[in-house]
């Protein structure tokens, strides 16, 4: 034998011993055990429910060191009394369970044994039979039924006794556990009244009913009808039953009872269509029904018709006028077509170039309980002729239709497999009146709904309200616009609760009135189901920032960021980089979004918040602003340039040589008469003599015109380096010979300066008396010492060498016409004065270069020419000298011999 088989045998033996000794595995009724005793019950195992019982457990042998117990329906009985080692008594007070079991057990050495068991049966006496009812047809038996009352839990017998009015019994019968019995009709006279008794009895007693008076002609009922056919036709909510009966149906009224899916019976008074046809309404589509029929005499009521044949009837035989129910007939209702009109609405779109307009037709799908199956499609009929048809799919619940201006209305129907819904009328024209007056538009306490109510004029004002009112339409849409939602309401309803709204979202709600003349204008309003704090802060800017005030501009928050109606804005102003708390400024929530505000000086940090009824939102983006800096940059630049220009001009004016040359340049640009040097009368000798105190004029005045300075000659060694080539034109006065042009080289040892005699001029300038030669030389030397030639030369040449370097490009010496003496008519474009005081070239014309090789000009007594000498020299020649070079260096006189010497 292998190991697995050995293990299984051990397990089976253990289970067998355990089931026998401790816990039997078989049910109590199927156990096999050795009887160790028996049980007795007082008063008896068959007891009246609610009685007290006493159970005795007897063992056949005395078992020392053992314990006897009793279980009632599996529960241990505690009340016990031991008589001896073989008998134990147990008390069971007020036992209400009709069927019970008691088991006596013996426990010894940790083992439990069943002594014996007993079944207890409880019962009740029968109630008095009531509601006896008897009926018969033209057949041979009378059927009587009754109600037996409460359950006795025991077998109960019923006996029927039929007695004459004098008490003579003519018929009796018995039946067990039944509520109906038949009586032969032949033993009863049709017009005689009889008394019928029903008696019930069992082990605990008997009970007799009250007498029931019966007469055969009063209990005859119509014959049972039969249903021959069931038709549903095009409707799934009604069934037409065709029935027949063996007797005349003139005085009979049919009734129907039906049930679905093995449910309870429901009795209905069907609608008689014609003889033998009746209709049952309010059926559910696609449902299996069971139908039955019965007929009642016209004098009977629905009370009997609604009572099933298996139920007892009233004790009055006059009310038994309905037939028995016919045999059942089964029938299945077909699908149901929609029976209600759709809720429809419209939304206009853009106008097409051809005059057509696009129209979005909206509808609510029919409720599922109103039709069978699914909606296949929707049909839209344009205008009232129902000829122009547009087919739209079942989903979504809208359709885009192109209509012309002539279309005033349309109808919409839902199409299913079992039919179409009634057409829903939708006008497209405007009624010409304003919409209903909004009375209330407020959020509900839940935070997700809005209550809307409105008013509409009274019926006597229908002419002014655009026709007779048909219905209302309430539509709502979130802002910014998403999907339009709407609801159609009955004309008697003037309020609505819009649910399913989102907190913090703005909704635009409109109410329309649909009348027989069209659709009214909308009455609209904005509302929140629940306001919340703004989601963000507004953006702001500071276009103008002055010293003590600023102009602020801010943008309106997007609607989806507002989450409520803005009540006010709050501006936080703080000095930049300051630890002081920010200053709060409340700004209006409506109106222009710009404002001038006073502010502290310096740079500022600004932030703006928006507030709703729910509270203040987060701060916006912080911006910084500072006062506009004065426009000093340009002013500083202009002032600097102007100051620099003034400084340059002032410096230039301080330089005498520059002043002279600028003056001469300006004079050269003007007319000649503007700069002509007119003689000064005050310098004439006549005027001076007249001013003297002498009575006679003295013509031998010592005063004379200033003498002309002689021309100094340079050495032959320096002439090639210092002087340019000079062309001299010489002509003899009065000779008539042409002028001879003789070039004068710079190597010539002499320079001629002649003051010609102006004989042809009518006016001679006054000649001042020459001072002694020694004094003049002295004065000249003092002037040269006061203003060193080196300083003049360095200052003028260094500052304006470039400017005046080309001014001395041509020098002309004209001796022919000048009344005063030799004159430099042009020196680089600058005019030099033509007075005798400037005739000394050594000082005024040749003192432009200073160097070690060109010492200052020193005038000697012999260098000064007398007026007579000047006259003689000037009368002989007219010399025109042209200087080719543009620069004349300073020279030192090497000869004091005048050019015009009578000795030479």
């Amino acid at each position: 034998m292998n190991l697995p088989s050995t293990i299984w045998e051990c397990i089976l033996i253990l289970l067998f011993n355990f089931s026998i000794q401790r816990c039997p595995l078989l049910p109590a009724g199927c156990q096999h055990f050795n009887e160790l005793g028996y049980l007795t019950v007082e008063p008896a195992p068959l007891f009246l429910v609610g009685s007290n019982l006493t159970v005795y457990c007897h063992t056949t042998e005395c078992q020392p060191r053992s314990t006897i117990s009793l279980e009632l329906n599996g529960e241990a009985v505690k009340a016990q009394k031991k008589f001896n080692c073989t008998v134990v008594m147990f008390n069971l007070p007020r036992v209400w369970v009709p069927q019970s079991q008691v088991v006596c057990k013996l426990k010894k050495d940790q083992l439990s044994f069943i002594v014996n068991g007993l079944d207890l049966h409880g019962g009740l006496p029968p109630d008095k039979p009531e509601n006896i009812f008897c009926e018969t047809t033209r057949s041979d038996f009378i059927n009587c039924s009754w109600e037996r009352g409460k359950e006795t839990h025991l077998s109960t017998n019923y006996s029927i006794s039929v007695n004459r009015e004098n008490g003579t019994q003519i018929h009796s019968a018995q039946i067990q556990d039944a509520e109906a019995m038949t009586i032969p009709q032949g033993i009863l006279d049709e017009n005689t009244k009889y008394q019928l008794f029903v008696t019930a009895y069992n082990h605990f007693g008997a009970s007799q009913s009250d007498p029931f008076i019966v007469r055969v002609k009063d209990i005859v009922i119509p014959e049972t009808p039969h249903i021959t056919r069931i038709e549903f036709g095009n409707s799934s909510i009604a069934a037409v039953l065709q029935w027949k009966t063996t007797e005349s149906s003139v005085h009979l009224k049919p009734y129907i009872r039906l049930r679905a899916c093995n449910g309870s019976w429901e009795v209905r008074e069907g609608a008689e269509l014609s003889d033998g046809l009746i209709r049952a309404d309010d059926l559910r589509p696609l449902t299996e029904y069971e139908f039955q029929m019965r007929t009642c005499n016209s004098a009977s009521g629905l009370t009997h018709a609604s009572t099933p044949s298996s139920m007892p009837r009233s004790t009055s035989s006059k009310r038994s006028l309905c037939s028995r129910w016919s045999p059942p007939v089964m029938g299945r209702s077909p699908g149901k077509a929609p029976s209600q009109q759709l809720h429809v609405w419209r939304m206009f779109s853009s106008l097409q170039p051809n005059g057509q307009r696009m129209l979005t037709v909206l509808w609510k799908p029919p409720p599922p309980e109103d039709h069978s199956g699914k909606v296949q499609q929707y049909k839209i009929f344009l205008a009232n002729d129902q000829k122009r048809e547009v087919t739209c799919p079942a989903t979504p619940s809208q359709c885009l239709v192109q209509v012309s201006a002539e279309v005033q209305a349309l109808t919409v129907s839902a199409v299913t497999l079992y039919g179409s819904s009634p057409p829903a009328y939708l006008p497209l024209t405007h009624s010409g009146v304003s919409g209903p007056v909004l009375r209330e538009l407020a959020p509900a306490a839940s935070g997700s709904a809005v209550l809307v109510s409105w008013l509409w004029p009274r019926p006597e004002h229908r002419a002014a309200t655009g026709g007779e009112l048909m219905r209302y339409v309430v539509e709502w849409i979130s802002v910014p616009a998403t999907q339009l939602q709407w609801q159609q309401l009955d004309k008697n309803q003037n309020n609505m609760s819009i649910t399913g709204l989102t907190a913090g979202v703005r909704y635009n709600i409109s109410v329309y009135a649909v009348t027989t003349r069209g659709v009214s204008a909308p009455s609209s309003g904005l509302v929140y189901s629940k306001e919340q704090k703004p989601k963000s802060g507004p953006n702001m800017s500071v276009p103008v920032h002055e010293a003590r005030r600023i102009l602020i501009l801010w943008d309106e928050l997007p609607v989806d960021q507002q989450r409520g109606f803005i009540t006010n804005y709050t501006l936080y102003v703080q000095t930049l980089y300051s630890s002081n708390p920010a200053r709060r400024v409340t700004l209006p929530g409506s109106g222009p979004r710009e404002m001038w505000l006073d502010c502290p000086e310096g740079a500022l940090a600004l932030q703006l918040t928006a507030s709703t009824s729910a509270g203040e939102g987060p701060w916006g983006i912080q911006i910084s602003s500072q006062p506009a800096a004065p426009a000093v940059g340009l002013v500083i630049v202009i002032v600097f340039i102007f100051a620099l220009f003034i400084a340059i001009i002032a410096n230039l004016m301080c330089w005498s040589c520059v002043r002279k040359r600028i003056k001469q340049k300006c004079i050269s640009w003007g007319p000649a008469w503007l700069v002509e040097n007119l003689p000064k009368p005050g310098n004439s000798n006549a005027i001076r003599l007249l001013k003297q105190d002498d009575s006679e004029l003295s013509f031998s005045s010592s005063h004379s015109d200033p003498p002309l300075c002689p021309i100094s000659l340079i050495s032959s060694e320096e002439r090639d380096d210092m002087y340019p080539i000079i062309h001299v034109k010489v002509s003899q006065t009065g000779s008539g010979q042409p002028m001879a042009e003789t070039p004068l080289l710079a190597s010539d040892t002499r320079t001629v300066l002649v003051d010609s005699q102006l004989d042809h001029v009518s006016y001679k300038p006054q000649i001042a008396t020459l001072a002694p030669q020694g004094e003049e030389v002295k004065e000249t030397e003092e002037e040269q010492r006061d203003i060193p030639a080196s300083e003049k030369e360095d200052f003028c040449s260094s500052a304006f060498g470039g400017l005046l370097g080309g001014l001395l490009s041509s020098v002309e010496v004209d001796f022919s016409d000048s009344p005063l003496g030799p004159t430099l008519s042009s020196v680089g474009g600058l005019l030099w004065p033509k007075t005798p005081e400037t005739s000394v070239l050594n000082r005024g014309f040749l003192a432009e270069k200073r160097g070690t090789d060109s010492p200052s000009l020193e005038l000697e007594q012999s260098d000064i020419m007398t007026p007579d000498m000047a006259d003689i020299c000037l009368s002989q020649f007219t010399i025109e000298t042209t200087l080719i070079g543009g620069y004349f260096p300073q020279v030192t006189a090497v000869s004091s011999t005048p050019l015009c010497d009578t000795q030479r």
Side-chain angles (χ1 to χ4, degrees):
M1 180 178 292
N2 54 13
L3 181 61
S5 61
T6 304
I7 295 175
W8 276 112
E9 287 182 0
C10 294
I11 293 174
L12 292 176
I13 292 172
L14 290 175
L15 291 175
F16 178 78
N17 293 332
F18 181 79
S19 63
I20 295 298
Q21 297 180 6
R22 292 188 56 87
C23 185
L25 300 177
L26 298 175
C30 301
Q31 292 186 66
H32 301 278
F33 59 89
N34 296 324
E35 295 183 1
L36 301 179
Y38 60 94
L39 297 176
T40 59
V41 179
E42 291 181 357
L46 184 61
F47 65 95
L48 184 65
V49 174
S51 302
N52 297 327
L53 301 178
T54 301
V55 178
Y56 297 92
C57 182
H58 303 268
T59 58
T60 57
E61 296 180 359
C62 182
Q63 299 289 340
R65 297 184 305 274
S66 62
T67 302
I68 298 175
S69 62
L70 183 70
E71 293 181 359
L72 175 63
N73 297 326
E75 295 182 0
V77 179
K78 297 180 180 181
Q80 61 180 347
K81 182 179 180 182
K82 187 175 182 180
F83 288 99
N84 49 46
C85 65
T86 58
V87 178
V88 179
M89 181 185 70
F90 297 92
N91 294 323
L92 305 178
R94 303 180 65 81
V95 180
W96 293 100
V97 180
Q99 303 290 334
S100 301
Q101 290 180 349
V102 290
V103 177
C104 182
K105 293 183 178 181
L106 175 65
K107 185 176 182 181
K108 181 180 179 181
D109 297 334
Q110 301 300 323
L111 297 176
S112 180
F113 303 94
I114 296 176
V115 177
N116 212 325
L118 185 64
D119 292 332
L120 301 179
H121 297 277
L124 295 173
D127 289 340
K128 181 177 66 173
E130 294 179 350
N131 296 328
I132 300 173
F133 175 75
C134 294
E135 63 182 9
T136 184
T137 60
R138 301 300 177 181
S139 62
D140 297 336
F141 295 94
I142 298 174
N143 297 316
C144 295
S145 61
W146 62 87
E147 293 179 0
R148 61 181 182 178
K150 65 177 180 293
E151 180 65 33
T152 61
H153 306 291
L154 296 175
S155 178
T156 303
N157 296 323
Y158 294 92
S159 63
I160 294 178
S161 175
V162 179
N163 301 331
R164 298 182 185 272
E165 292 182 347
N166 56 9
T168 304
Q169 184 179 14
I170 61 173
H171 178 75
S172 64
Q174 294 182 357
I175 191 172
Q176 185 179 2
D177 297 332
E179 293 179 298
M181 186 179 292
T182 58
I183 301 173
Q185 184 177 351
I187 65 174
L188 301 178
D189 185 51
E190 183 178 354
N191 296 320
T192 303
K193 292 183 179 181
Y194 300 92
Q195 290 183 347
L196 187 145
F197 295 91
V198 178
T199 303
Y201 56 93
N202 58 16
H203 177 75
F204 295 105
S207 178
Q208 186 178 19
S209 67
D210 296 332
F212 177 77
I213 306 301
V214 60
R215 187 169 57 181
V216 175
K217 70 175 184 177
D218 294 334
I219 63 174
V220 175
I221 62 175
E223 293 290 337
T224 303
H226 295 274
I227 300 174
T228 59
R229 190 173 59 178
I230 298 177
E231 292 182 355
F232 290 94
N234 295 328
S235 175
S236 61
I237 60 175
V240 177
L241 280 68
Q242 185 176 3
W243 60 280
K244 67 178 180 178
T245 182
T246 57
E247 57 182 289
S248 175
S249 60
V250 176
H251 303 289
L252 299 178
K253 185 173 182 61
Y255 292 91
I256 301 173
R257 74 173 183 178
L258 52 89
R259 63 179 178 180
C261 302
N262 297 323
S264 59
W265 289 101
E266 179 184 359
V267 178
R268 298 180 182 179
E269 184 176 354
E272 293 187 65
L273 303 178
S274 61
D275 189 12
L277 292 178
I278 188 173
R279 185 182 67 222
D281 298 321
D282 299 331
L283 303 181
R284 297 195 302 268
L286 304 176
T287 305
E288 191 77 24
Y289 281 100
E290 184 178 0
F291 296 94
Q292 284 184 317
M293 282 190 62
R294 70 185 302 176
T295 57
C296 296
N297 292 327
S298 301
S300 65
L302 188 58
T303 302
H304 295 293
S306 61
T307 304
S309 59
S310 60
M311 299 297 294
R313 305 300 193 271
S314 173
T315 55
S316 175
S317 62
K318 294 182 179 180
R319 301 180 63 183
S320 177
L321 300 175
C322 295
S323 68
R324 298 182 180 92
W325 290 106
S326 65
V329 177
M330 305 298 294
R332 179 180 175 84
S333 62
K336 176 185 177 182
S339 60
Q340 301 177 9
Q341 289 183 345
L342 297 175
H343 290 184
V344 293
W345 190 232
R346 84 288 182 275
M347 184 170 59
F348 290 103
S349 300
S350 59
L351 184 65
Q352 301 296 322
N354 56 0
Q356 303 283 330
R357 56 179 174 175
M358 301 305 297
L359 178 70
T360 302
V361 181
L362 311 172
W363 60 79
K364 300 287 185 180
E369 61 273 9
D370 187 49
H371 64 92
S372 299
K374 296 181 179 180
V375 177
Q376 303 297 314
Q377 60 186 8
Y378 292 88
K379 288 186 177 181
I380 301 176
F381 297 93
L382 305 180
N384 297 326
D385 54 5
Q386 303 295 315
K387 293 181 180 179
R388 298 178 58 189
E389 177 182 326
V390 177
T391 301
C392 301
T395 56
S397 300
Q398 63 182 27
C399 187
L400 191 63
V401 181
Q402 185 177 15
V403 298
S404 61
E406 292 78 14
V407 178
Q408 303 296 319
L410 53 83
T411 59
V412 185
S413 298
V415 180
T416 66
L417 291 175
Y418 308 103
S420 301
S421 65
Y425 178 78
L426 177 62
L428 303 180
T429 57
H430 191 274
S431 61
V433 297
S434 58
V437 179
L438 287 178
R439 184 174 59 182
E440 182 182 12
L441 190 63
S446 62
S448 60
V450 172
L451 301 177
V452 187
S453 62
W454 57 88
L455 294 176
W456 184 250
R458 296 179 179 179
E460 55 265 22
H461 302 289
R462 287 176 181 173
T465 57
E468 184 178 356
L469 179 65
M470 294 192 300
R471 58 183 177 271
Y472 296 106
V473 174
V474 179
E475 66 177 23
W476 61 96
I477 188 171
S478 62
V479 181
T482 53
Q483 183 179 2
L484 179 69
Q485 302 183 65
W486 58 280
Q487 183 66 46
Q488 179 178 306
L489 303 175
D490 186 74
K491 64 180 180 180
N492 298 321
Q493 186 175 353
N494 60 355
N495 59 77
M496 178 186 177
S497 177
I498 302 176
T499 60
L501 304 182
T502 304
V505 176
R506 182 181 298 181
Y507 290 91
N508 183 18
I509 300 178
S510 303
V511 181
Y512 296 83
V514 182
T515 65
T516 54
R517 297 174 60 180
V519 181
S520 70
S523 296
S524 304
L526 298 175
V527 69
Y528 285 89
S529 62
K530 183 179 180 181
E531 293 193 31
Q532 295 179 342
K533 296 180 181 180
K535 195 173 182 180
S536 63
N539 295 327
M540 62 175 300
S541 61
V542 181
V544 181
H545 189 160
E546 299 178 355
R548 301 288 297 180
R549 66 172 189 164
I550 58 175
L551 174 64
I552 63 170
L553 304 175
W554 65 92
D555 299 333
E556 184 179 6
L557 277 177
V559 176
D560 58 340
Q561 300 290 316
Q562 295 182 16
R563 302 199 297 182
F565 295 110
I566 302 299
T567 57
N568 64 275
Y569 297 95
T570 304
L571 177 66
Y572 293 87
V573 183
Q574 186 179 20
T575 304
L576 198 62
Y577 310 117
S578 174
S579 59
N580 296 331
R583 173 190 172 194
R584 292 168 54 99
V585 180
T586 302
L587 307 177
S590 59
R593 290 185 298 277
E594 64 177 76
M595 182 172 291
W596 282 96
L597 297 174
D598 296 334
C599 66
E601 294 182 350
L604 303 176
L606 303 105
Q607 282 181 291
L608 192 64
T609 64
S611 300
T612 64
S613 61
E616 185 178 6
W619 289 22
I621 300 175
Q622 181 179 3
I623 64 172
S624 59
S625 177
Q626 56 185 358
V632 297
L634 182 61
V635 175
I636 292 175
V637 172
I638 295 175
V639 170
F640 176 76
I641 295 175
F642 184 74
L644 181 62
F645 179 75
I646 295 298
I648 293 174
I649 297 300
N651 290 332
L652 293 179
M653 291 303 176
C654 293
W655 300 335
S656 58
C657 60
V658 174
R659 289 199 307 270
K660 292 179 181 179
R661 295 186 180 185
I662 292 176
K663 181 178 180 182
Q664 293 176 0
K665 186 67 176 178
C666 294
I667 290 173
S668 67
W669 290 344
W673 57 265
L674 183 62
V675 296
E676 183 178 357
N677 291 329
L678 299 178
K680 295 181 179 180
N683 296 333
S684 65
N685 292 330
I687 297 300
R688 291 181 181 181
L689 292 175
L690 289 175
K691 290 182 179 180
Q692 294 179 357
D693 296 335
D694 298 340
S695 58
E696 291 183 359
L697 295 174
S698 177
F699 293 97
S700 61
S701 175
S702 59
H703 298 284
S704 64
D705 289 333
L708 295 174
C709 295
I711 300 300
S712 298
L713 300 176
I714 63 174
S715 63
S716 59
E717 293 81 7
E718 297 177 353
R719 63 179 183 178
D720 295 334
D721 299 328
M722 303 295 294
Y723 284 90
I725 299 174
I726 302 174
H727 297 274
V728 179
K729 295 179 182 179
V730 180
S731 62
Q732 293 183 358
T733 305
S735 63
Q737 296 178 0
M739 182 182 297
E741 180 176 350
T742 303
L744 296 181
L745 301 177
S747 60
D748 292 346
T749 57
R750 297 184 181 186
T751 302
V752 181
L753 181 61
V754 181
D755 187 5
S756 63
Q757 205 107 19
L758 303 176
D759 296 335
H760 60 282
V761 179
S762 62
Y763 174 76
K764 288 186 178 181
Q766 293 81 10
I767 301 174
T769 303
L770 289 174
Q773 295 180 0
E775 294 178 0
E776 182 177 355
V777 172
K778 184 178 180 179
E779 290 176 0
T780 304
E781 293 176 353
E782 289 176 357
E783 289 177 1
Q784 291 180 356
R785 285 195 300 267
D786 293 339
I787 302 176
S790 61
E791 293 180 4
K792 293 182 180 180
E793 179 182 355
D794 294 342
F795 179 77
C796 296
S797 62
S798 63
F800 299 97
L803 177 63
L804 302 178
L807 298 180
L808 301 177
S809 60
S810 176
V811 177
E812 293 182 358
V813 181
D814 189 0
F815 301 102
S816 61
D817 298 331
S818 175
L820 299 179
T823 304
L824 293 177
S825 61
S826 175
V827 181
L830 294 177
L831 295 179
W832 285 21
K834 300 179 181 180
T835 60
E837 291 80 1
T838 62
S839 61
V840 181
L841 297 178
N842 297 353
R843 187 190 310 170
F845 179 68
L846 299 175
E848 292 184 4
K849 182 176 181 182
R850 176 180 177 270
T852 55
D853 56 345
S854 300
S856 300
L857 180 65
E858 296 181 359
L859 298 178
E860 301 293 338
Q861 183 69 25
S862 60
D863 297 333
I864 302 174
M865 298 175 63
T866 61
D868 296 335
M869 294 171 63
D871 294 340
I872 294 173
C873 293
L874 293 175
S875 64
Q876 298 295 325
F877 302 96
T878 299
I879 303 173
E880 181 178 355
T881 304
T882 301
L883 301 182
I884 303 304
Y887 174 75
F888 289 89
Q890 295 178 345
V891 296
T892 303
V894 295
S895 177
S896 61
T897 304
L899 180 64
C900 297
D901 192 355
T902 58
Q903 301 295 329
R904 195 181 63 177

